[in-house]
Amino acid sequence: MQTEDRFQRARFALMVTMLGLLIVGLTGLNAYQIRSAAQERAAVTTNNLITLVERQVYDTLRTVDLALQGAALEIDRQLSGDGDQAEARIAEFLTRQRKLLPEVIGVCAIDAHGNLRFEEGRAAGEFVNVADRDYFQFLKNNADAKVVVFGPLQSRVSQRWAIGIARALRDDSGQFRGAVAATLSVDEFQEHLNLLSLGKFGAATLRMADMSLVARATPSGKGTGIDYGSRITSTQLKNAISENPERGSYTAATALDGIERINAYMKVANYPMYVIVGIGLQDVEPEWRKQAFFVLILGFIAMLLTALGAGWLARIRRRQFDDRFDEARRKADEALRQTNELLTLSEQAAGSGAWILTIKNERLKWSAQILKMFGIDPATDEATLDTWRKRVHPEDLARAEQAIADSLHNHKPFNTSYRVIRPNGEVIWIDAYGTPTYDADGNPVRLAGIYVDATSRHAAQQQLIDSEQKYRQISGELERLNAELEVKVATRTADLEAAMRTLEQISRRDALTGLPNRLAADERLRSEFLNMKRSGVPYTVMMLDLDHFKNVNDTFGHAVGDRVLQSLGHAMRSSLRENDLVCRYGGEEFLVILPATTLEAAIAVGEKIRLAIGSVHDPVAGITTISVGVAMASPGDANEEVAVKAADMRLYEAKRAGRDRVVAF
């Protein structure tokens, strides 16, 4: 029997040890899974945020870049026209462009020698030379270079920090003629970062491709104390960009403040800038640590109860083993059953309940468990804030109400603990959790949460259930917030893309006549040429020039000249088919493209336009005539410029022959 007794005790000891190891293993696995899920949500959030900021930065740079393209075309047009007023018109155009772009500090035009020919706010005759600047040398010495983004740099006058964008000016042969440049305040980019919700230890940074600091936002400082131009970065970021230059993620301590974060970075499309967003590990870890703590406590309690129950049963079995071995076994089984019943009753006694507070009428909706917990009879008592205040201990009421007020004011969930006095005088402790909900205007609508009876010492299992419920609620809320963020990103992207399309249309339209400009004409010529190469069907080009139009400007002024150009442009458009194109090619020169049109038909169209122009009578300038050169493109042409040059030569033949005529041969 002694051998059997030792065997039984050894078996119990082994059972308790194995159960303990199982509980410890499950506890560790659960904690690891909770931590991994929290970090994955943080990684998803950082990737959504960098996508949003990258689109905003790209749209800002793209808008200014398109404006500079339009400015470059306007400068080219003015320099090709009347030289006497060209510089004044360029200055006026650049001033208008800057006013249309609030994010731009200034716009300037630079000649081929590096002299600033125009910059708003600079006195007339006061010239500055930027020929030695890196961006100017880059555009000048690289024939393929079109645009360069540089900075950050600090204004010597206003002390403001800015980013610069410069676009090269080149003639038709590719010869460098100067540049047009704009400066954007870094405050524009700082605003994008300041709007992000980063938690208590998060950070968002915008850097140039060489890692020069442009803007940075943290919860403790949004745009203040920034060391602009600083290239101090972590080794992990440099290695990540080296391996994946476009986009990636990494976890490391930030070099600027030493805070460890889950980071994501993304290169701004088409521009040498990077967006980096990080969420602090200290923002991610508290929640999973709290849940892991609950799981750990539950494991220890379960181990303790199991060990106590097993020990008690072993002592009973040892006392009765000599006399009634079978009876001892039955009593042990009964004791184990009673222990299981006690565990079940303990879980029920630990109960918790849900509640919803409607802010407008201060009405409360309590679950049955809370009514039981507070000792409230729903048949006689109404669930209101006054009922709740009467039950909360007077010494804890102010703190409990302040927790609710802070939650509503700060738009954050709350949790607090306080005592409740039941009608029979019994005092219990309550753990209260709540999350506010707001309408579209930011006004609080309701507050919802749970109460947990913290009095019971056997509530570990129920606390685990409550913490899991809270985890699911927070996960659902994060998923909803991420979904809303994705919708906002998509909406913002669509709006900005529509704005860019409008700006691109404007850049292809002549501001005076409303006709397509030279950029639009070049694109259409290329399209018709490629179509002719595929189909073999030729098209015809006409070059038109108003006769003696310079005399109109010199005699009656540019206002009358502009009016004449507008009237004659309308007359030309009215004389063509819908699929034909007439554009202002430069000054008083126009280009007409006639798809699938023979030379004979084109001559007839040219005569139609000439007669239509001759019928337009301006009350001041009178009748204006026009000379027309016509040429038909051929599938054997090397490029689309062949037909244009041929039509231009015939235009000059029409001029030499006496003007006011159409020449095609």
Side-chain angles (χ1 to χ4, degrees):
M1 288 187 179
Q2 291 179 351
T3 301
E4 182 68 18
D5 184 37
R6 286 195 299 272
F7 173 75
Q8 292 294 336
R9 281 187 284 180
R11 188 172 66 175
F12 280 124
L14 179 61
M15 180 183 68
V16 171
T17 301
M18 293 181 63
L19 182 60
L21 292 174
L22 177 62
I23 293 174
V24 171
L26 291 176
T27 301
L29 177 61
N30 186 265
Y32 173 77
Q33 291 174 338
I34 293 172
R35 183 175 186 271
S36 298
Q39 291 184 347
E40 288 177 2
R41 290 196 302 273
V44 171
T45 300
T46 56
N47 275 281
N48 286 338
L49 291 176
I50 62 168
T51 300
L52 172 63
V53 177
E54 186 275 340
R55 282 291 88 188
Q56 292 173 332
V57 173
Y58 170 80
D59 293 337
T60 299
L61 295 175
R62 179 62 175 165
T63 299
V64 177
D65 193 9
L66 288 174
L68 292 182
Q69 290 185 40
L73 291 172
E74 180 65 16
I75 291 173
D76 181 69
R77 187 178 71 83
Q78 292 296 340
L79 293 178
S80 301
D82 184 2
D84 296 338
Q85 299 295 324
E87 189 163 333
R89 290 183 180 178
I90 291 172
E92 179 183 356
F93 180 83
L94 293 180
T95 299
R96 289 199 309 267
Q97 288 290 83
R98 194 203 65 76
K99 291 179 179 179
L100 290 173
L101 301 169
E103 62 269 30
V104 171
I105 298 176
V107 182
C108 65
I110 309 167
D111 65 19
H113 303 292
N115 296 316
L116 264 67
R117 305 300 302 175
F118 168 77
E119 183 178 23
E120 186 178 10
R122 189 177 299 279
E126 180 185 354
F127 289 99
V128 173
N129 189 277
V130 297
D132 60 340
R133 301 291 174 86
D134 292 341
Y135 72 87
F136 184 83
Q137 289 294 322
F138 177 78
L139 293 176
K140 181 178 180 180
N141 297 328
N142 293 273
D144 296 332
K146 295 182 180 180
V147 65
V148 62
V149 180
F150 56 93
L153 45 85
Q154 188 176 26
S155 170
R156 289 171 292 190
V157 178
S158 66
Q159 300 300 308
R160 296 175 65 185
W161 284 89
I163 292 296
I165 304 180
R167 178 167 282 276
L169 300 176
R170 304 186 190 277
D171 58 20
D172 293 340
S173 66
Q175 184 68 30
F176 183 71
R177 300 176 65 181
V180 58
T183 53
L184 295 81
S185 171
V186 297
D187 295 340
E188 174 71 15
F189 304 109
Q190 187 65 48
E191 273 303 310
H192 297 328
L193 303 185
N194 289 347
L195 295 176
L196 301 180
S197 178
L198 301 171
K200 186 177 180 181
F201 297 95
T205 307
L206 182 64
R207 292 182 179 272
M208 301 297 291
D210 63 357
M211 294 295 104
S212 297
L213 183 61
V214 176
R216 189 169 190 266
T218 63
S220 60
K222 298 187 176 182
T224 60
I226 295 177
D227 185 10
Y228 293 105
S230 170
R231 298 181 183 177
I232 299 175
T233 58
S234 67
T235 303
Q236 291 85 344
L237 173 59
K238 295 176 183 177
N239 294 339
I241 292 178
S242 176
E243 294 179 5
N244 299 291
E246 296 299 322
R247 184 170 186 162
S249 60
Y250 64 97
T251 300
T254 303
L256 293 178
D257 55 21
I259 297 176
E260 190 168 7
R261 299 183 174 95
I262 298 173
N263 300 285
Y265 66 89
M266 184 176 185
K267 183 181 181 297
V268 178
N270 301 329
Y271 297 101
M273 301 183 80
Y274 279 92
V275 179
I276 305 104
V277 175
I279 293 180
L281 287 180
Q282 296 180 64
D283 289 325
V284 177
E285 292 184 352
E287 180 60 31
W288 79 261
R289 285 181 176 176
K290 182 178 180 181
Q291 295 181 32
F293 175 75
F294 283 137
V295 173
L296 183 61
I297 292 298
L298 175 63
F300 280 130
I301 291 176
M303 261 176 54
L304 180 60
L305 289 176
T306 303
L308 291 175
W312 179 39
L313 182 59
R315 285 193 299 272
I316 294 175
R317 289 175 65 87
R318 282 196 303 271
R319 284 195 304 266
Q320 298 181 351
F321 188 77
D322 293 337
D323 300 322
R324 299 181 62 181
F325 178 81
D326 292 338
E327 180 66 14
R329 182 186 296 275
R330 187 190 64 78
K331 289 183 178 181
D333 291 341
E334 179 64 16
L336 182 60
R337 184 186 64 79
Q338 291 177 0
T339 301
N340 290 334
E341 289 179 353
L342 287 174
L343 287 174
T344 302
L345 292 174
S346 297
E347 291 176 353
Q348 295 175 352
S352 65
W355 55 271
I356 299 176
L357 170 62
T358 303
I359 304 299
K360 184 176 181 180
N361 56 17
E362 294 190 348
R363 294 297 298 270
L364 274 168
K365 184 176 181 180
W366 284 341
S367 66
Q369 185 64 31
I370 292 182
L371 295 174
K372 181 180 178 181
M373 190 185 304
F374 278 64
I376 295 175
D377 183 358
T380 58
D381 296 326
E382 188 177 8
T384 65
L385 274 181
D386 287 338
T387 305
W388 174 78
R389 292 188 181 102
K390 292 176 181 178
R391 291 290 188 270
V392 177
H393 196 287
E395 295 179 1
D396 299 341
L397 180 59
R399 176 165 51 81
E401 289 183 324
Q402 187 62 45
I404 294 175
D406 290 344
S407 174
L408 295 175
H409 177 73
N410 297 325
H411 291 220
K412 292 183 178 179
F414 79 93
N415 65 81
T416 186
S417 298
Y418 50 82
R419 289 167 290 176
V420 170
I421 303 175
R422 288 176 169 170
N424 61 2
E426 180 187 2
V427 177
I428 64 171
W429 276 96
I430 294 295
D431 288 339
Y433 303 87
T435 301
T437 302
Y438 301 85
D439 60 19
D441 298 325
N443 299 314
V445 176
R446 68 180 61 87
L447 193 64
I450 60 172
Y451 291 148
V452 179
D453 184 355
T455 309
S456 174
R457 292 295 178 267
H458 305 285
Q461 181 65 41
Q462 186 62 43
Q463 287 177 352
L464 175 60
I465 295 174
D466 292 339
S467 69
E468 288 178 347
Q469 180 180 0
K470 183 180 178 183
Y471 168 75
R472 288 194 296 271
Q473 291 175 345
I474 294 174
S475 297
E477 183 67 10
L478 283 175
E479 291 176 359
R480 184 184 65 78
L481 290 174
N482 284 335
E484 291 179 358
L485 180 60
E486 290 175 357
V487 171
K488 290 180 180 178
V489 169
T491 302
R492 174 64 174 164
T493 301
D495 292 343
L496 291 174
E497 287 177 350
M500 286 192 293
R501 286 195 296 272
T502 302
L503 187 58
E504 288 180 353
Q505 292 176 357
I506 293 174
S507 69
R508 288 166 172 75
R509 186 70 57 179
D510 179 61
L512 177 62
T513 64
L515 296 174
N517 59 17
R518 185 165 184 167
L519 176 62
D522 291 342
E523 292 176 346
R524 180 66 179 275
L525 280 169
R526 185 62 182 169
S527 175
E528 291 295 335
F529 180 76
L530 295 176
N531 184 59
M532 177 184 69
K533 285 289 189 180
R534 288 192 298 268
S535 65
V537 179
Y539 62 92
T540 305
V541 177
M542 292 195 298
M543 294 294 293
L544 307 89
D545 189 81
L546 302 182
D547 298 329
H548 303 296
F549 185 72
K550 186 176 184 302
N551 294 337
V552 175
N553 282 333
D554 294 343
T555 304
F556 304 109
H558 287 288
V560 173
D562 290 346
R563 186 178 66 211
V564 170
L565 285 173
Q566 291 172 338
S567 300
L568 299 185
H570 178 72
M572 293 181 199
R573 177 67 264 176
S574 300
S575 302
L576 297 173
R577 300 171 299 183
E578 186 173 350
N579 65 330
D580 296 335
L581 176 73
V582 58
C583 68
R584 187 179 180 190
Y585 210 57
E588 63 270 19
E589 193 173 37
F590 296 84
L591 173 73
V592 174
I593 303 173
L594 303 173
T597 303
T598 64
L599 188 62
E600 292 75 13
I603 294 172
V605 174
E607 287 293 343
K608 181 179 178 182
I609 293 175
R610 187 182 69 81
L611 294 175
I613 295 298
S615 66
V616 176
H617 182 273
D618 186 84
V620 176
I623 299 295
T624 301
T625 62
I626 192 168
S627 298
V628 183
V630 185
M632 185 170 69
S634 170
D637 291 345
N639 54 51
E640 62 269 23
E641 292 297 325
V642 174
V644 175
K645 291 180 179 178
D648 193 50
M649 293 177 59
R650 289 164 188 170
L651 169 63
Y652 282 104
E653 291 177 8
K655 292 284 188 180
R656 287 194 295 269
R659 295 181 171 82
D660 191 20
R661 65 193 64 224
V662 178
V663 174
F665 302 100

